[in-house]
Amino acid sequence: MRHLFFVFIVLFAGIAHGQEAASYTCPMHPHYISTDADGVCPICGMDLVPVAQASSGDSGREEGIAVSSAMIQTMGVRTAPAEVVSFARQIRAFGRVEPSTRAETVVASRVEGWIEDLSVTAEGDRVEKGDLLYRVYSPDLIGAQQDYLAALRTGADGRIDAAAQRLRSLGMQNAVIASLREGRAVIERMPVTAEENGVVAELAVRDGTYVRPGAIILRLQRYDEVWIIASVAEQDLPAIAEGTLATVSVSAAAVPEREARVDYVYPTVNAETRTGSVRIVLSNENNALRPGAYADVTFAVEDRPRLSVPSEAILRDSRGAHVVIALGGGRFAPRPVQTGLSAMGRTEIIAGLQPGEEIVTSGQFLLDSESSLREGFAKMSGGLGPEVALSDLPMTEETLAMVDHFVDAALYIHEALVDGYSVQPSFLEPTLRVGETLRARYANTRLSPIILHTEGAVRAAQNADGPEELAAALSDLMEGLRPWLLEGAPQHYADNGLALFQTEEDHLWVQEGSGPINPYGNGVAERIEWPEAMTMGGAPSNRPAMAGHNH
């Protein structure tokens, strides 16, 4: 009531003196009126603006709202530029530490015989290379040694080599053969020594055990290298390949996070859990990583430079994502954006921003007053809102020509696909430039998300690597244009001789002429008839011809 009474007194004073004093208001609280050009709003501290400016605004520019420098400091407003930063999509998975089979040594018997003098007595015993593991008594080995000694006495090299090879095939190590050759006496109980350092992971015999060829005596395992086996969701597997960067954290081990590369992606998927296995190799010199422990694994995929802003700068509501732009001089304005990947504290901006634009990342007032800001920002679009049909939007020849840039881009991409040439990214830059103007002019209307969608598709066409990606960009562009073509100005495009087609897979395209020329391949296509003519608010009855698309 106090503010309404103040308005009455100011207006009454102006009328009583026959004056036509200029009136000023607060963009956030339009019920407050003052004649003080340098005044501030007593409610929020914003600089006052002329009533005419606050109520009409230039629909082609981002006027925004004004906030005094003192209030900016009080609110703790901070900004950051939109930047091109390299970051990757992150895929999280749970894993487990497992011993490396590459670091495993299996000791098996090659003869029939009896185990004697077993030096290792339990799993977990450590052995060094050259340590005695056990001795074996075998009649077959004794006979083979006698043959070898007989060959030595003949001096025939061929016979000596053959006898030595038989001893090796029966499991006699080279050092033992050398001792036999030097001593020239049968070794009844052949010693077997460790060929690698390791820990006894399995012990299958005891002193006196009778063994046959192929029987496993023991397994030695090194733990200076371990595997991390990560279970990755089935839908994420295609993004991971050998060499993909991964970050591994084992909470049970007192070791920092480790970075490594994917060593192998297993070719099968678990039918019950719908996950696939991915192997990562880690060094483990201090044996801190123990097999069986759980691990947290994060894979970095699709790492590339992206236009992005800090994630906290993104505001979301029923209209979608938007940011608050710092225009300079204490002025701020909203901007709808199309977002992509969010990772590492940043969010990719597909459309809506240019590198270097300052974005508000922190400001209690701006965040808490989002609904009030929208009320002030809506005035910038002349009172138009999402309830206004596309066909009723006020549109001049100039603005209609701007929208036609996106249809013209679709014609250009169609032609490139049909004729088999590459799209020149520079040819599409004018389309993106008019898109920014259109979004500002129709910020609160149904046209704004259409322009935002199509901008992203045009950028995808600029970056397309080959016909397949270019066709996908055209399909996305046409999907974005669909409501405008069918509900906005269908008669305009019909009068310009354009035809609209749709494939069985729901891919749209627009072309000149009535005979379908399918840019997506040889599939069947159906022509979509243009709806009946609609009257567009403020648009001329005779539509101008579209600009030529021969780039």
Side-chain angles (χ1 to χ4, degrees), residues 142-416:
I142 291 175
Q145 290 180 73
Q146 290 172 341
D147 289 344
Y148 178 69
L149 294 175
L152 289 175
R153 287 193 291 270
T154 66
D157 291 341
R159 184 178 173 185
I160 293 172
D161 292 342
Q165 183 57 41
R166 184 186 175 204
L167 289 173
R168 292 189 191 93
S169 67
L170 293 176
M172 183 172 283
Q173 296 167 318
N174 288 332
V176 182
I177 295 175
S179 296
L180 176 63
R181 181 170 188 149
E182 183 179 349
R184 303 292 175 110
V186 170
I187 304 172
E188 291 189 355
R189 290 168 178 76
M190 180 188 73
V192 177
T193 59
E195 296 184 351
E196 295 283 348
N197 300 338
V199 175
V200 177
E202 179 185 353
L203 182 60
V205 299
R206 292 291 182 266
D207 260 337
T209 299
Y210 175 75
V211 293
R212 296 180 180 275
I216 293 177
I217 308 298
L218 55 84
R219 297 178 190 269
L220 291 178
Q221 180 71 51
R222 293 198 334 269
Y223 295 104
D224 55 344
E225 175 184 281
V226 293
W227 289 352
I228 305 296
I229 304 298
S231 298
V232 178
E234 183 178 11
Q235 64 270 20
D236 291 329
L237 281 173
I240 299 174
E242 292 181 13
T244 298
L245 182 65
T247 302
V248 180
S249 173
V250 181
S251 58
V255 294
E257 257 185 6
R258 302 273 294 278
E259 285 191 351
R261 300 280 176 178
V262 170
D263 180 63
Y264 182 64
V265 179
Y266 289 82
T268 58
V269 171
N270 186 299
E272 295 181 359
T273 63
R274 310 311 306 171
T275 59
S277 295
V278 175
R279 184 172 72 209
I280 301 162
V281 179
L282 292 181
S283 60
N284 187 35
E285 289 83 0
N286 58 0
N287 293 321
L289 302 176
R290 298 176 181 275
Y294 285 106
D296 234 345
V297 184
T298 303
F299 299 95
V301 301
E302 300 169 14
D303 191 358
R304 67 171 188 268
R306 308 169 191 267
L307 177 62
S308 61
V309 298
S311 295
E312 62 268 23
I314 305 294
L315 302 174
R316 301 183 188 274
D317 59 17
S318 58
R319 297 175 301 157
H322 61 280
V323 297
V324 177
I325 304 288
L327 301 174
R331 303 198 69 81
F332 301 89
R335 178 85 63 80
V337 293
Q338 184 178 353
T339 60
L341 172 68
S342 291
M344 301 175 67
R346 299 193 69 84
T347 296
E348 180 184 17
I349 302 298
I350 297 175
L353 289 178
Q354 296 295 327
E357 290 189 286
E358 285 291 323
I359 311 301
V360 176
T361 60
S362 174
Q364 190 66 29
F365 175 83
L366 292 177
L367 296 176
D368 289 347
S369 304
E370 182 181 342
S371 60
S372 298
L373 282 171
R374 288 202 300 270
E375 176 185 349
F377 294 147
K379 300 179 184 297
M380 294 164 47
S381 58
L384 296 175
E387 72 282 353
V388 179
L390 287 169
S391 58
D392 292 334
L393 289 176
M395 191 157 291
T396 65
E397 290 186 9
E398 177 191 4
T399 51
L400 183 58
M402 289 182 179
V403 180
D404 284 346
H405 268 276
F406 289 93
V407 181
D408 188 57
L411 290 168
Y412 172 45
I413 298 170
H414 172 271
E415 182 181 280

Side-chain angles (χ1 to χ4, degrees), residues 443-459:
N444 241 13
T445 70
R446 296 183 186 184
L447 186 59
S448 179
I450 292 175
I451 299 302
L452 190 63
H453 185 145
T454 52
E455 281 181 310
V458 170
R459 292 188 192 279

Side-chain angles (χ1 to χ4, degrees), residues 24 63 69 79 113 120 135 154 196 212 223 228 276 310 312 316 404 422 429 443 462 502 514:
Y24 298 87
E63 292 292 344
S69 57
T79 65
V120 292
R135 298 179 188 273
T154 66
E196 295 283 348
R212 296 180 180 275
Y223 295 104
I228 305 296
E312 62 268 23
R316 301 183 188 274
D404 284 346
S422 299
E429 278 302 320
Q462 287 181 312
Q502 181 171 327
S514 57

Side-chain angles (χ1 to χ4, degrees), residues 516-535:
I517 307 174
N518 191 344
Y520 303 109
N522 299 320
V524 178
E526 175 187 6
R527 182 169 180 173
I528 299 177
E529 296 299 329
W530 295 113
E532 293 295 324
M534 299 181 183
T535 302

